[in-house]
Amino acid sequence: SRSAVPKETLPSLSSEGRGKYGDDLHWHWTGHSMGDAGAVRVADALLRSTKPVGAMFCSSNRIGDKGAAAFGAALRSNATVTHLDLSRNEMGDAGMVELAQGLALNQTLRILDLQQNKIGNKGAKALYDLLCMNDTIDRVHLHNNKEMGPKWIRSLREF
């Protein structure tokens, strides 16, 4: 496994933009196939950012459990990100558990997009527990997580 991510795999921070999130930056890094190694670098950039980041769009990047864990760790202490899009990635139960642990005390994230990942019952339970304790998150998108059982789909619809 390589520790360095090829430059073309991860956009530079100049891909930041301003928009509907006011003065906060929003990072659009969709479809760069950055994988877990790139996600770790993005999460690290979030931790080091001196500017407020309002939204992170990281869909379609082959981000798995390690990348999701890195986002969880970065968002644990973040006070600016309100929207996280990790849709169309490869996150499974272990990544969802780590992400949920990181978001447990986060009081700014409102929208979490997890569509088309590989989240199963264990990850669904972690998400359910998170939503029971964190009332800041008011929108979660979970469509097409085919490993998730009907019990959890029904339970999560309540939120």
Side-chain angles (χ1 to χ4, degrees), residues 53-148:
V53 177
M56 298 179 69
F57 299 97
C58 298
S59 67
S60 302
N61 274 302
R62 297 184 353 230
I63 297 170
D65 294 336
K66 290 179 183 176
F71 280 114
L75 290 167
R76 181 173 286 124
S77 60
N78 180 278
T80 62
V81 174
T82 61
H83 186 150
L84 177 63
D85 182 352
L86 291 176
S87 64
R88 298 176 190 91
N89 279 295
E90 299 172 5
M91 179 184 9
D93 285 337
M96 184 65 243
V97 168
E98 294 286 334
L99 182 62
Q101 288 173 353
L103 293 175
L105 298 176
N106 181 290
Q107 293 299 301
T108 55
L109 190 73
R110 296 187 59 229
I111 302 168
L112 181 59
D113 192 340
L114 302 171
Q115 297 178 73
Q116 296 181 22
N117 274 281
K118 298 177 180 179
I119 302 168
N121 292 333
K122 186 176 179 184
K125 181 178 182 337
L127 179 59
Y128 181 84
D129 292 345
L130 168 67
L131 295 174
C132 286
M133 73 169 72
N134 182 326
D135 60 0
T136 307
I137 300 170
D138 59 17
R139 224 176 316 163
V140 179
H141 303 285
L142 286 170
H143 303 299
N144 293 324
N145 277 285
K146 296 181 179 178
E147 317 238 344
M148 197 179 296

